[in-house]
Amino acid sequence: MNATIRSSQFLRRALAADAVFSGIAAVLLTADAGMLAPLLQLPEALLRETGLFLIAYTAFVGWLATRTVAPKALVMLVIAGNAAWTVGSLALLFSGAVSPNLLGEAFVVAQAIATGVFAELQYIGLRRSDSAVVA
């Protein structure tokens, strides 16, 4: 099995879109956690720490989106991470660990759906990518 792929344009665009939306969320959650917490009835620390994580995630996925030849394992890591984020977000709502209001629930569900869509698009893009031989 080849460890690198020649990233399809579809994959690079899906990764770039993920980076853009994650970057927007990173800025909003990090800078405005104090304002969003009472509005959504979600813990301020959860929102801010999620935003801080997304800063690093955005940089990584943005970098990966610029690679025409990429390590397949890193692409698979992003896809698996997005799928896990989707499941984890929904599990958080059912866990009882947080008690968001209706707007907070909608916020968590909407970002879970968006993340799941990115995972699916990235998987499609990965399947459209060719193995690459790197000398």
Side-chain angles (χ1 to χ4, degrees):
M1 176 156 86
N2 203 327
T4 59
I5 57 165
R6 187 167 311 283
S7 298
S8 66
Q9 185 174 22
F10 190 94
L11 175 58
R12 291 192 309 274
R13 286 183 177 168
L15 290 166
D18 188 359
V20 167
F21 284 100
S22 295
I24 292 168
V27 170
L28 291 174
L29 292 172
T30 302
D32 295 329
M35 181 199 69
L36 291 171
L39 184 65
L40 303 173
Q41 290 183 354
L42 287 166
E44 183 176 345
L46 173 66
L47 296 173
R48 182 163 284 112
E49 290 169 15
T50 299
L52 291 171
F53 167 79
L54 287 174
I55 291 170
Y57 177 80
T58 296
F60 172 66
V61 175
W63 171 82
L64 197 55
T66 66
R67 308 289 100 190
T68 54
V69 175
K72 185 175 182 179
L74 293 183
V75 174
M76 292 173 62
L77 179 66
V78 170
I79 295 167
N82 279 337
W85 186 285
T86 299
V87 172
S89 295
L90 298 176
L92 176 67
L93 293 178
F94 291 104
S95 72
V98 296
S99 299
N101 57 21
L102 186 58
L103 184 59
E105 289 177 356
F107 174 80
V108 172
V109 169
Q111 62 81 36
I113 291 169
T115 305
V117 168
F118 283 129
E120 180 65 23
L121 292 173
Q122 291 158 356
Y123 179 73
I124 292 168
L126 176 62
R127 292 194 51 178
R128 291 183 180 182
S129 298
D130 298 320
S131 295
V133 177
V134 179

